Amino acid sequence: MDNPSPPRHVAIILDGNGRWAQRKGLPRLAGHRAGVRALQKVFNFIRQSGVHYLSLFGFSTENWQRPIGEVQGLMRIFANAARRKAKEILDARARFHWIGSAAGLPGILVQRLRQLEEKTKLEDDFHLVLAINYGGRDEVIRAARKMAENTPPNNSSHWTWENFSKYLDTHDIPDVDLVIRTSGEQRLSNFMLMQMAYAEIFFTPTLWPDFTGEIFQQALDFYASREQRRGALPIFGET
Ligand code: IPE
Ligand code: MG
C-alpha cells in the first residue's frame, strides 16, 4: 500500500550553497547566507505540511576540513541565526533541538543553541532539529561510550537497540521517514545513518539556495507513492 499519511520526520541534506555562489561569481559565504534565506522562505510551507520533525544538516564533523575562513564564516552565520531567528522559532511554536558534539565549536554558539533548546522545550507540535558538528559515526561512538559508562560490566543482554538508542543525540526524536538531498549529489554523507535505516530518499538537482515549497511538495508526493515494506512482503492482493 502507498504511504497514506505525510512523513512524520523529514531530514534535509542541504547541499550546493558553494556552487550556487560560484556560479554567480560570489564568495562561498554568500552562498551559505543565501542558504539561510532559502530555509526562511520554505519554513512556513514545511511547518504547514503535516510534517512534525524537520532535521537539517548544517555542519558535519567532516566540514572542519574546509578552509578556515569558510569554517569561521559558517560559525558566525550559525551564531547570528541562533540569535536572530529565535523569535520566529518561538512564534512558530516549534521546539528546537541541536544534535552534534560541542567539541571544537565556539562557546557562544553552543550557549545560544542550548538557550534556544531551553526556551522552546515545552513545545511539541513541530520540532526543528539542527545538526551542527554532527556525524552519524561520531554520534554512535559518543552514545556507546555513554552507555558503557552507565552499564554494569558483563551485562551484554542490556545492549539492545532499544536501550542503546536512548543514548543517541536523537533519543527523543523518532526515526527519519524521508530524506531530501539537494544539488544532485546522491549520498548520505554520514547524516543520521541509524535514524535513516528505513527512510525513503529523494534527490533533486536544485542547489539548496534555489529550493522552493514546490520541490518540497514533489518530495512529499514521491514519499506518498512509495510502498513501505520494512523487510516484510506486500499484503497479498496489493502488489
Ligand atoms: C552545503 O553547501 C552547506 C554546508 C555543508 C554548510 P556546500 O558548501 O557543501 O556547497 P557545495 O557542495 O560546495 O556546492
Ligand atoms: Mg557540498
Side-chain angles (χ1 to χ4, degrees):
M1 203 178 79
D2 294 348
N3 275 313
S5 42
R8 183 148 70 131
H9 184 172
V10 177
I12 307 184
I13 303 175
L14 22 89
D15 198 7
N17 292 352
R19 276 164 284 170
W20 182 91
Q22 272 155 359
R23 281 178 200 173
K24 292 184 149 41
L26 298 168
R28 290 180 58 85
L29 282 174
H32 295 313
R33 281 190 289 270
V36 177
R37 290 197 297 273
L39 178 62
Q40 175 121 45
K41 241 180 7 196
V42 293
F43 182 79
N44 283 337
F45 186 87
I46 298 175
R47 176 76 179 85
Q48 309 300 329
S49 67
V51 166
H52 285 286
Y53 290 80
L54 174 69
S55 293
L56 305 167
F57 204 6
F59 190 88
S60 77
T61 45
E62 288 72 36
N63 285 149
W64 296 107
Q65 294 161 36
R66 294 190 176 194
I68 179 87
E70 181 168 348
V71 169
Q72 285 176 346
L74 276 166
M75 294 300 150
R76 269 197 304 274
I77 289 170
F78 293 138
N80 281 337
R83 185 169 49 87
R84 292 217 307 258
K85 308 285 179 219
K87 189 176 178 307
E88 284 162 61
I89 293 172
L90 282 165
D91 288 347
R93 307 219 52 186
R95 178 163 174 192
F96 178 80
H97 305 255
W98 161 47
I99 58 169
S101 162
L105 288 180
I108 183 75
L109 175 58
V110 172
Q111 194 187 321
R112 285 179 189 169
L113 294 171
R114 293 206 168 125
Q115 256 170 19
L116 205 46
E117 284 186 323
E118 184 59 30
K119 274 190 191 158
T120 60
K121 71 178 180 198
L122 296 178
E123 301 297 343
D124 190 32
D125 188 44
F126 187 79
H127 297 250
L128 177 65
V129 183
L130 183 60
I132 295 184
N133 197 20
Y134 174 88
R137 290 181 174 178
D138 180 68
E139 178 191 30
V140 165
I141 295 300
R142 284 187 287 107
R145 285 193 184 132
K146 268 186 261 169
M147 184 164 168
E149 280 165 19
N150 286 293
T151 308
N154 304 320
N155 197 351
S156 60
S157 63
H158 196 66
W159 287 80
T160 60
W161 172 252
E162 208 200 349
N163 286 336
F164 177 71
S165 60
K166 290 180 192 143
Y167 292 91
L168 292 170
D169 295 352
T170 52
H171 56 92
D172 52 356
I173 296 165
D175 275 358
V176 174
D177 302 301
L178 171 65
V179 183
I180 300 173
R181 183 166 187 154
T182 58
S183 90
E185 307 297 347
Q186 304 199 347
R187 295 186 287 277
L188 296 178
S189 299
N190 202 11
F191 189 38
M192 295 180 119
L193 296 178
M194 293 292 103
Q195 298 82 349
M196 288 177 182
Y198 293 101
E200 302 292 340
I201 311 180
F202 179 83
F203 298 109
T204 169
T206 303
L207 303 175
W208 173 253
D210 293 328
F211 194 78
T212 59
E214 240 161 65
I215 304 170
F216 190 80
Q217 187 59 51
Q218 279 169 22
L220 293 182
D221 294 345
F222 160 83
Y223 179 82
S225 73
R226 304 298 297 168
E227 176 196 358
Q228 284 274 323
R229 290 192 188 185
R230 298 193 175 231
L233 289 179
I235 298 164
F236 183 69
E238 283 189 53
T239 49

